[in-house]
Amino acid sequence: MYILADDMGYGDLSCFNNRSQIPTPNLDRLAAQGMRFTDAHATSSVCSPSRYSLLSGQYNWRSRLKSGVICRWDGPVFEDGEVTVPSFLKSQGYDTACIGKWHLGWNWPTTTGRSPNQVLPYAIDTPEVELRRDEFWKEIDFSAPIAGGPIEHGFDTYFGVDVPNYPPYSWFQDDRLTAQPTRPKSAAIYGDIGPSVENWSHEAMLPEFTRRTVEYVESHSSDASTIGTNPFFLFLSLTAPHSPVSPGPEFRARSGIGPYGDLVSEIDWLVGQVLDAVERSGLADDTLLIFTSDNGPELGTKDDEGAFERARRTAHYSMGDLRGIKHDVWEGGHRVPFIASWPGTIPGNTVCSELVSLMDLMATCADILHAPLPSSAGRDSISMLPLLEGKADQPLRGSLVGHSRNGKFSIRKDKWVFIDSPPCSENPEPEWFRTERGYPEDDSEAALYNLTEDISQRDNKHSDQPEVAQVLGRELESLRYIAPKRKIAPSRSSPQS
């Protein structure tokens, strides 16, 4: 089972940040029974590309999504027939389900016969294109099946929303909407222009995802004698704490730092409900459960003050000690909290400091099942299983490429991270924050940091260590064109995922 938060920062969980102002007792409980990874990374600092990598085992820039995210009405980022984690596990006899956010594109049917891909430029959100997107929904036939979504890329079932602030404001069930969006979105509903069903509520999302997840888990364990005979992979893809920042009524004011903290508290509650369901169903020892986030915390939106202002106001730093937030190539844009639990296999209350990536799920699943991947599948994925079992005697991943919203690259190797562009944020860092952290002005052409000594990326070593920068720059170029071989070690156990 894989739980993916949306825009949750490395510093939001108290088990990763002892100065966090948000209580997260259930996530702490998960960490206590499993392993915390302190150097885990999404491949991108924004949503669609990091989700693509998680499900494909490939860097996002190997797809047609070279920068940015999937915009409203865009087609799928996956190619037809592309191997995904769920399609691979399905071929191995697993039931596969996705609950929650998709944001990887659909082939929308239209009443005019025009495909959105013929009219709207892919993954472009300039003001001019946004105006065209605002009108294009009027051509879409919302009563017809919608191709290109989760069930065409490996999932047996799907329930959720595309993006919480994207139209249509309606539930998706497999390849259809559960109700027709017949009216323009109310101004009271946070999000982009488009159609909505009556009485749409953002606050209903997390409770509904929780209810369906608990039902799904319990449906696979109604008879203890059948446990393990119908293995499943559940991808619980959350819409929070991404905007709209809309915690449920019972969670408002719970955190003491405002709506964002309250929404993180609601996510923590959700995780507790899922853990209880797994344990109640007798599946705990047979279930690998992973919790992580798709990228770092948001700069700020119309309904949320954002990471910097929240830090100034409450002393809660969603990025922790890291530099950068969502969109950035800095560590805080893509280094994410990552917890894995599998009682009996993963040692409890342990910490792993090795470099890992969200896209390593593909090779890890193959390793667990002793099943070879197709040659075209998961070419950037490396099995984490030796780390999960506490048996790795050397680092498994030699390097890892990072990617920003605007297409900037970094490469991590050992203690070094090299950024192949001027060291400036894609989000404006407030002057008070730069002063507090001691960030100097830097007009260098590229950046090199020693993360062992400088986790906050203050001291650019590019001019002091030109040989290191050159070596990493050459490796970055080679990785952008040549995929590394997967590392898969033999294993013994096969859990629910």
Side-chain angles (χ1 to χ4, degrees):
M1 184 184 303
Y2 206 104
I3 305 176
L4 183 69
D6 194 354
D7 292 2
M8 181 178 282
Y10 186 89
D12 280 331
L13 281 66
S14 54
C15 54
F16 282 84
N17 176 14
N18 59 16
R19 297 190 300 277
S20 171
Q21 303 297 310
I22 307 172
T24 52
N26 290 298
L27 287 162
D28 296 351
R29 167 186 162 197
L30 181 65
Q33 70 183 39
M35 182 178 290
R36 285 190 300 115
F37 286 78
T38 59
D39 203 358
H41 297 256
T43 62
S44 170
S45 58
V46 283
C47 167
S48 300
S50 68
R51 289 162 190 263
Y52 168 80
S53 294
L54 189 160
L55 293 177
S56 72
Q58 298 192 106
Y59 285 116
N60 53 278
W61 34 266
R62 298 196 193 280
S63 75
R64 63 174 176 153
L65 188 62
K66 306 301 183 184
S67 62
V69 299
I70 299 291
C71 297
R72 289 172 294 157
W73 321 124
D74 277 346
V77 63
F78 290 112
E79 300 293 336
D80 292 343
E82 185 171 354
V83 178
T84 64
V85 170
S87 70
F88 169 71
L89 290 174
K90 189 173 179 178
S91 74
Q92 301 300 309
Y94 275 63
D95 294 340
T96 58
C98 179
I99 296 174
K101 177 176 176 177
W102 181 235
H103 201 187
L104 288 167
W106 304 80
N107 288 319
W108 294 93
T110 64
T111 57
T112 61
R114 296 200 306 170
S115 164
N117 298 333
Q118 297 172 328
V119 181
L120 301 169
Y122 188 75
I124 298 295
D125 58 357
T126 63
E128 296 79 8
V129 174
E130 285 294 280
L131 288 174
R132 286 154 61 188
R133 293 185 189 278
D134 289 346
E135 292 296 319
F136 191 81
W137 68 267
K138 297 174 183 177
E139 297 186 29
I140 295 175
D141 181 1
F142 292 109
S143 67
I146 311 164
I151 64 170
E152 292 189 13
H153 295 291
F155 289 106
D156 292 313
T157 61
Y158 170 65
F159 178 87
V161 297
D162 185 31
V163 183
N165 53 301
Y166 278 10
Y169 299 97
S170 177
W171 296 118
F172 290 69
Q173 180 88 53
D174 296 334
D175 62 349
R176 291 180 179 270
L177 301 181
T178 61
Q180 298 308 299
T182 58
R183 60 186 64 202
K185 176 188 73 69
S186 164
I189 297 176
Y190 179 91
D192 292 346
I193 292 172
S196 175
V197 298
E198 188 173 3
N199 298 322
W200 181 252
S201 168
H202 290 311
E203 289 82 357
M205 290 183 187
L206 291 185
E208 185 65 12
F209 299 156
T210 304
R211 183 183 71 80
R212 288 177 177 268
T213 297
V214 170
E215 285 184 355
Y216 185 85
V217 169
E218 292 179 341
S219 74
H220 282 74
S221 59
S222 57
D223 181 352
S225 66
T226 67
I227 291 175
T229 62
N230 56 339
F232 65 87
F233 170 66
L234 174 60
F235 180 40
L236 177 52
S237 177
L238 304 182
T239 54
H242 184 289
S243 289
V245 180
S246 304
E250 64 271 39
F251 296 95
R252 293 172 191 164
R254 177 173 291 195
S255 70
I257 68 165
Y260 179 90
D262 300 340
L263 193 53
V264 172
S265 295
E266 187 168 2
I267 293 170
D268 183 76
W269 165 83
L270 176 153
V271 170
Q273 296 297 300
V274 173
L275 283 174
D276 289 346
V278 170
E279 292 170 3
R280 186 169 59 245
S281 301
L283 295 172
D285 288 349
D286 299 301
T287 302
L288 169 59
L289 195 159
I290 293 172
F291 177 91
T292 187
S293 177
D294 63 349
N295 49 247
E298 179 64 85
L299 171 67
T301 59
K302 293 178 182 177
D303 72 336
D304 180 57
E305 61 194 339
F308 291 129
E309 177 58 21
R310 185 165 53 252
R312 186 200 63 79
R313 183 178 61 82
T314 70
H316 175 78
Y317 291 75
S318 287
M319 74 296 288
D321 292 330
L322 305 176
R323 187 175 192 178
I325 56 177
K326 180 179 179 180
H327 302 174
D328 284 333
V329 76
W330 303 112
E331 288 289 293
H334 50 81
R335 188 184 291 219
V336 290
F338 190 104
I339 305 171
S341 171
W342 184 3
T345 298
I346 298 177
N349 201 27
T350 52
V351 178
C352 180
S353 60
E354 294 295 334
L355 181 66
V356 298
S357 170
L358 270 58
M359 68 180 171
D360 291 337
L361 178 62
M362 178 80 85
T364 304
C365 289
D367 196 358
I368 289 170
L369 298 176
H370 306 285
L373 287 169
S375 59
S376 63
R379 57 179 172 168
D380 299 306
S381 188
I382 295 175
S383 174
M384 295 171 55
L385 186 58
L387 297 174
L388 296 174
E389 294 178 325
K391 296 179 179 179
D393 56 5
Q394 61 183 357
L396 300 179
R397 176 173 280 286
S399 61
L400 183 66
V401 177
H403 201 228
S404 77
R405 177 187 174 100
N406 290 339
K408 294 180 180 179
F409 284 93
S410 69
I411 183 169
R412 173 71 181 285
K413 191 176 182 68
D414 300 325
K415 64 185 179 181
W416 297 104
V417 61
F418 170 71
I419 300 172
D420 72 342
S421 56
C424 58
S425 174
E426 295 190 21
N427 301 286
E429 293 175 312
E431 190 58 37
W432 71 265
F433 183 81
R434 293 180 59 84
T435 300
E436 180 179 277
R437 289 284 175 100
Y439 292 135
E441 295 296 327
D442 190 347
D443 59 359
S444 304
E445 62 181 18
L448 179 72
Y449 299 98
N450 181 336
L451 294 180
T452 300
E453 300 174 354
D454 181 23
I455 192 64
S456 298
Q457 295 176 281
R458 296 182 179 90
D459 187 10
N460 185 356
K461 299 289 190 180
H462 186 259
S463 59
D464 297 336
Q465 299 280 349
E467 298 86 358
V468 175
Q470 289 171 7
V471 169
L472 290 177
R474 287 195 295 268
E475 183 165 347
L476 174 59
E477 277 303 296
S478 70
L479 285 174
R480 288 173 63 181
Y481 299 103
I482 303 173
K485 294 180 180 180
R486 293 185 299 272
K487 292 183 180 178
I488 300 179
S491 64
R492 296 181 302 278
S493 307
S494 297
Q496 313 276 354
S497 295

